[in-house]
Amino acid sequence: MKKVDLCLSSEGTEVILATSSDEKHPPENIIDGNPETFWTTTGMFPQEFIICFHKHVRIERLVIQSYFVQTLRIEKSTSKDPVDFEQWIERDLVHTEGQLQNEEIMARDGHATYLRFIIVSAFDHFASVYSVSAEGVTVSNFS
């Protein structure tokens, strides 16, 4: 099985929910594959977004590129609908003045159909996510 970036819109992945949206920086920017675009929060925390794979996947490595994110929690679900999330990963990110945070996570038990990313806190009033990359394989498609 070939490993691919499962989080690209070109792979059929969608952002199905985001708690904030700025028309210039919509949540779809997280998965568009363009390093120049991003999603931004509109203040107040926590903020979250949910990525839907439309299939069962096994994630082996996650890379999140963000700015001003302090604490990030990632939950996953293997349900056919975005329910029954379980906490999977929680990280305190390092503030990187003037450059993107590049958080790489080697995933354990990375089976999912949905991922929920919760920005619990930030280093500023606003935070942004440039991309989420999930290296892994498709386990099965929905029948």
Side-chain angles (χ1 to χ4, degrees), residues 90-110:
E90 186 161 334
R91 289 278 171 94
D92 290 321
L93 279 59
V94 175
H95 178 53
T96 52
E97 189 65 43
Q99 63 185 22
L100 287 178
Q101 297 163 300
N102 200 33
E103 187 70 18
E104 182 176 337
I105 300 165
M106 298 310 286
R108 291 193 188 95
D109 188 29

Side-chain angles (χ1 to χ4, degrees), residues 54-123:
H54 294 291
K55 53 192 170 190
H56 295 284
V57 300
R58 187 181 76 234
I59 299 164
E60 297 172 5
R61 181 174 158 260
L62 275 173
V63 178
I64 297 103
Q65 290 190 309
S66 58
Y67 201 64
F68 285 136
V69 174
Q70 185 171 5
T71 302
L72 177 68
R73 180 181 309 136
I74 305 168
E75 299 175 348
K76 64 184 179 115
S77 172
T78 55
S79 298
K80 196 166 185 170
D81 296 308
V83 295
D84 301 326
F85 282 91
E86 61 183 60
Q87 185 166 327
W88 185 34
I89 296 164
E90 186 161 334
R91 289 278 171 94
D92 290 321
L93 279 59
V94 175
H95 178 53
T96 52
E97 189 65 43
Q99 63 185 22
L100 287 178
Q101 297 163 300
N102 200 33
E103 187 70 18
E104 182 176 337
I105 300 165
M106 298 310 286
R108 291 193 188 95
D109 188 29
H111 290 268
T113 50
Y114 297 91
L115 292 180
R116 180 187 316 179
F117 293 80
I118 302 167
I119 300 171
V120 178
S121 60
F123 292 106

Side-chain angles (χ1 to χ4, degrees), residues 3 6 8 17 21 32 39 61 86 94 120 129 137 139:
K3 291 181 192 172
L6 300 164
L8 288 174
L17 177 136
S21 187
D32 67 1
W39 168 69
R61 181 174 158 260
E86 61 183 60
V94 175
V120 178
V129 178
V137 295
V139 175

Side-chain angles (χ1 to χ4, degrees), residues 14-77:
E14 288 184 283
V15 176
I16 60 163
L17 177 136
T19 52
S20 61
S21 187
D22 176 319
E23 64 185 39
K24 293 180 186 163
H25 307 290
E28 295 77 27
N29 287 351
I30 298 167
I31 59 170
D32 67 1
N34 181 347
E36 302 296 314
T37 62
F38 59 90
W39 168 69
T40 187
T41 65
T42 52
M44 303 283 290
F45 292 94
Q47 293 278 333
E48 69 180 64
F49 61 93
I50 297 176
I51 291 177
C52 174
F53 296 107
H54 294 291
K55 53 192 170 190
H56 295 284
V57 300
R58 187 181 76 234
I59 299 164
E60 297 172 5
R61 181 174 158 260
L62 275 173
V63 178
I64 297 103
Q65 290 190 309
S66 58
Y67 201 64
F68 285 136
V69 174
Q70 185 171 5
T71 302
L72 177 68
R73 180 181 309 136
I74 305 168
E75 299 175 348
K76 64 184 179 115
S77 172

